Amino acid sequence: TYYRRAYLVRLWDLLVEKYPLEFWHQRIDGLRELIFDEQLEDIEEWGRSRPSANDPTAPAGFDPNLDRVRDHIAIRRNYLLNYLRNTEGFTGHDRLKITEVMYNPLGDDSAEFVELWNNSGEAIDISGWTVDGLGASEFAFPADTVVAENEVIVLARDPDVFSGIYGNVGRVFGPYPGKLSDDGETLRVKDAGPGYPATVDWLRFETNDPWPGRADGLGYSLELFGVVPELDNDHPEFWRESVSLGGSPGFVHFEGLDVPHFRRGNCNND
């Protein structure tokens, strides 16, 4: 149907990017620390429950039961992945990931930009793809726009102003008629189908803690750090204010490359 592929894209991303097994393991480990001592007190008071007729092999220990929860989650997750691969024939999709946002630059708002990285593992055609959340407007990439594998592109509110500040940092698209809110924004990257356009990346950033404060009008951008293809960029703990004043458009802080990045240019627009 018209909406089915968009649904499959979101389900795939939930399983592979937003809720991988590591996510659940971390949450279970956190719960263990929270309730382990409490369960010891309960056992001392009331004793330990015996295996029931419905579950005669239930382990007595606390940690073996947590292992059963981990196994249960893995089995259900693999079931959904196998359904996508084997029943739907769905094994992934073309993607762009938001890796930097300059939402409140020094001076006027014409120096705004959004950086995007092709994390698809191959060249992709993004003709007709849109970025939504640029104020009241969205930007559509022009026809015949092909992004190379691992290429980093920039969407600038005013490409001329951007080039005057940063020079040549790669391909720059724009302008877009709206503006990013200085109070936080929701950005959504959508493909061009087939069928209903699927959301391939989604980011909601804020200006208050735990989001970096110096990105709000002090000349720094929001930058994603420790970047890998499957990183869920919707979590504030993966974002920092830029290493350099003005940010580093065109440069992605990949995992293992967390080092200062220097560039030529008039980063403070003076």
Side-chain angles (χ1 to χ4, degrees):
T1 65
Y2 183 68
Y3 297 97
R4 188 167 188 78
R5 177 184 162 277
Y7 164 76
L8 296 177
V9 167
R10 296 308 293 150
L11 179 57
W12 178 270
D13 285 349
L14 285 172
L15 293 168
V16 174
E17 181 175 292
K18 196 164 191 64
Y19 300 119
L21 282 179
E22 291 78 11
F23 170 90
W24 299 110
H25 290 169
Q26 291 172 4
R27 296 308 186 274
I28 292 170
D29 291 343
L31 286 172
R32 184 194 186 282
E33 297 302 317
L34 179 67
I35 65 176
F36 182 76
D37 291 338
E38 182 177 327
Q39 64 93 31
L40 289 179
E41 295 173 1
D42 291 344
I43 291 172
E44 184 177 357
E45 180 71 22
W46 295 295
R48 187 182 297 279
S49 299
R50 296 181 178 276
S52 67
N54 291 331
D55 191 5
T57 62
F62 185 77
D63 287 313
N65 273 289
L66 289 185
D67 289 337
R68 294 182 102 204
V69 174
R70 294 185 182 94
D71 291 342
H72 180 86
I73 291 172
I75 289 170
R76 269 55 185 179
R77 180 177 178 274
N78 287 335
Y79 172 85
L80 288 171
L81 286 171
N82 288 333
Y83 165 80
L84 288 170
R85 293 177 178 130
N86 301 327
T87 303
E88 296 288 345
F90 190 91
T91 57
H93 59 92
D94 294 343
R95 299 184 291 174
L96 284 177
K97 186 182 292 292
I98 300 167
T99 51
E100 186 173 0
V101 181
M102 175 64 85
Y103 67 90
N104 190 7
L106 288 173
D108 62 46
D109 293 320
S110 58
E112 287 181 2
F113 68 82
V114 177
E115 176 188 84
L116 303 114
W117 167 52
N118 176 10
N119 60 325
S120 304
E122 61 183 2
I124 58 173
D125 187 340
I126 63 168
S127 304
W129 286 34
T130 59
V131 179
D132 192 14
L134 306 169
S137 66
E138 68 176 19
F139 174 83
F141 288 95
D144 302 320
T145 302
V146 176
V147 182
E149 179 181 355
N150 286 323
E151 184 179 358
V152 181
I153 61 175
V154 173
L155 174 56
R157 187 182 184 203
D158 187 324
D160 291 335
V161 170
F162 177 90
S163 297
I165 297 172
Y166 298 100
N168 182 16
V169 296
R171 282 201 289 174
V172 179
F173 294 85
Y176 54 86
K179 67 177 293 295
L180 295 167
S181 171
D182 295 342
D183 297 320
E185 191 68 85
T186 299
L187 295 173
R188 190 186 304 270
V189 182
K190 295 186 289 187
D191 66 19
Y196 187 80
T199 296
V200 300
D201 196 29
W202 188 93
L203 169 67
R204 171 66 193 177
F205 67 86
E206 304 282 354
T207 59
N208 54 324
D209 189 69
W211 289 89
R214 290 204 297 171
D216 187 10
L218 298 180
Y220 296 86
S221 68
L222 288 177
E223 287 190 310
L224 191 64
F225 278 75
V227 179
V228 294
E230 308 301 344
L231 180 68
D232 182 9
N233 60 351
D234 187 34
H235 293 286
E237 60 264 31
F238 298 136
W239 292 85
R240 307 180 195 172
E241 65 261 3
S242 56
V243 174
S244 304
L245 191 68
S248 59
F251 177 86
V252 174
H253 293 270
F254 293 111
E255 186 177 51
L257 295 178
D258 189 3
V259 295
H261 175 68
F262 302 96
R263 55 167 175 74
R264 299 178 182 272
N266 182 16
C267 63
N268 60 355
N269 202 23
D270 60 14

